[in-house]
Amino acid sequence: MLRTRFTETFGVEHPIVQGGMMWVGRAELVAAVANAGGLGFITALTQPTPDDLRTEIARTRELTDKPFGVNLTILPSINPPPYEEYARAIIESGIKIVETAGSNPEPFLPAYREAGVKVLHKCTSVRHALKAQKIGVDGVSIDGFECAGHPGEDDVPGLVLIPAATRVLDIPVIASGGIADARGLVAALALGADGVNMGTRFLCTAESSIDQKVKEQIVANSERDTQLIFRTLGNTARVADNAISRKVVEIEKAGGTFEDVRELVSGARGRKVFEEGDLDAGIWSTGLAQGLIEDIPTCAVLVERMVREAEELITGQLAGLVAR
């Protein structure tokens, strides 16, 4: 049993988190992670309406009696979703753990606090993590440059970012980016983190709802098979290397604007990849950790294996390095 400040604060068995992933954080995956002793997050905005989110939370409760949470990512948008209504649905459904990301979560914190909800905020820099601590979140997930999705614009990898954050923060810190196995978990703990967050690794599990062809492509890919898009737009995103992401990078390098790539990067096209297995239908997020993934296990097998091998590393191989 690996007990950390994170497991104690958030009330879970193992220091392993499945963060929110658009089109992926659904009841079956979240419940499987929870039943395995980790902390899974439903992705609120995957659900079309706040009432649909309420239904998804109820479905998850039918599949597990263990703790799970909801991710609510807040991003600038021409036609923003009704974020306040989603937050209300989370609170009224009795959820006690929320993962926030994107914009500053401070406007939502009073309501969460009043409802006894603990907040884990995703950050890509030490300065943002310190701000999150100052406004009163209960923990932060710090994303290194290796991560899928948006790694920020500082390009600092986890080996530096994690200890830089943990040496100045007083709240629990979850390490994210480039982690897929027990070695990553042990390394994160050694760097001062209280647990790990994995996206790509949980994307490639039996309970993940994405098409089998996408999972098999993740297994086949190496750590070199990603692209960084939106670099020239100041909104970098790490996605899988495919015909579409290469085209986006090409357009950007030629001086293109977001309008020139808008249709290529639409969420509807990315959703088609996950749901239909058409690997070149659109862009889809995957991190460098895909180079470490060799199988498609159940969440139970994955979590049990990680914890067991981590304990073996700590008490065996690493302990044996100490001269007696």
Side-chain angles (χ1 to χ4, degrees):
M1 292 288 292
L2 299 173
R3 305 303 297 174
T4 69
R5 289 189 305 165
F6 170 75
T7 60
E8 296 294 336
T9 300
F10 289 85
V12 294
E13 186 177 355
H14 303 307
I16 297 173
V17 176
Q18 165 257 308
M21 294 178 281
M22 197 63 180
W23 314 126
V24 181
R26 303 178 189 271
E28 289 78 9
L29 175 61
V30 173
V33 173
N35 286 332
L39 177 59
F41 284 99
I42 296 171
T43 307
L45 298 183
T46 291
Q47 302 303 317
T49 70
D51 281 340
D52 289 312
L53 175 59
R54 287 183 170 92
T55 299
E56 193 72 1
I57 291 170
R59 281 209 318 124
T60 308
R61 287 208 172 102
E62 292 175 357
L63 299 172
T64 184
D65 59 0
K66 294 190 176 182
F68 64 90
V70 175
N71 164 283
L72 183 56
T73 296
I74 302 169
L75 295 172
S77 173
I78 295 174
N79 298 302
Y83 291 119
E84 292 81 6
E85 293 178 29
Y86 276 100
R88 190 178 309 120
I90 291 168
I91 292 169
E92 291 176 354
S93 296
I95 291 295
K96 295 303 180 184
I97 305 173
V98 168
E99 179 184 60
T100 57
S103 299
N104 187 339
E106 188 170 11
F108 295 85
L109 292 185
Y112 287 146
R113 289 196 195 99
E114 184 178 350
V117 176
K118 294 188 181 299
V119 175
L120 182 68
H121 185 62
K122 291 174 68 73
C123 307
T124 60
S125 70
V126 176
R127 62 187 181 278
H128 292 151
L130 284 168
K131 177 64 181 297
Q133 176 176 268
K134 183 177 180 180
I135 65 174
V137 303
D138 300 281
V140 295
S141 175
I142 194 86
D143 285 10
F145 186 56
E146 306 92 335
C147 71
H150 295 278
E153 304 305 310
D154 295 341
D155 297 1
V156 181
L159 194 61
V160 173
L161 185 60
I162 298 165
T166 58
R167 72 181 179 184
V168 296
L169 292 168
D170 299 318
I171 56 179
V173 176
I174 301 301
S176 181
I179 299 166
D181 57 23
R183 295 167 297 179
L185 172 56
V186 173
L189 296 175
L191 293 172
D194 301 284
V196 297
N197 173 72
M198 302 189 301
T200 303
R201 175 66 274 194
F202 279 117
L203 196 64
C204 196
T205 56
E207 293 90 353
S208 167
S209 62
I210 67 173
D211 190 273
Q212 182 71 11
K213 289 190 287 293
V214 182
K215 299 178 188 181
E216 291 171 357
Q217 188 61 51
I218 292 172
V219 173
N221 281 351
S222 78
E223 65 278 5
R224 299 177 66 243
D225 294 315
T226 69
Q227 292 282 346
L228 293 169
I229 62 173
F230 305 155
R231 291 293 266 173
T232 62
L233 307 177
N235 188 31
T236 300
R238 186 181 298 282
V239 299
D241 176 55
N242 67 1
I244 301 299
S245 61
R246 290 192 293 273
K247 182 65 174 177
V248 171
V249 171
E250 179 184 328
I251 292 171
E252 285 191 68
K253 287 182 177 178
T257 67
F258 181 73
E259 290 304 316
D260 297 313
V261 300
R262 178 192 290 272
E263 192 275 331
L264 292 173
V265 303
S266 73
R269 292 184 64 148
R271 183 175 185 176
K272 186 176 181 181
V273 175
F274 283 159
E275 294 185 353
E276 299 182 16
D278 182 349
L279 297 171
D280 284 319
I283 61 167
W284 50 285
S285 294
T286 186
L288 299 186
Q290 66 182 359
L292 303 174
I293 295 173
E294 299 177 332
D295 61 356
I296 308 171
T298 65
C299 291
V301 167
L302 173 62
V303 172
E304 187 279 330
R305 182 172 68 196
M306 280 187 65
V307 173
R308 171 174 44 81
E309 291 181 356
E311 291 172 345
E312 291 170 355
L313 275 171
I314 293 167
T315 61
Q317 180 180 335
L318 296 180
L321 297 176
V322 179
R324 290 179 171 80

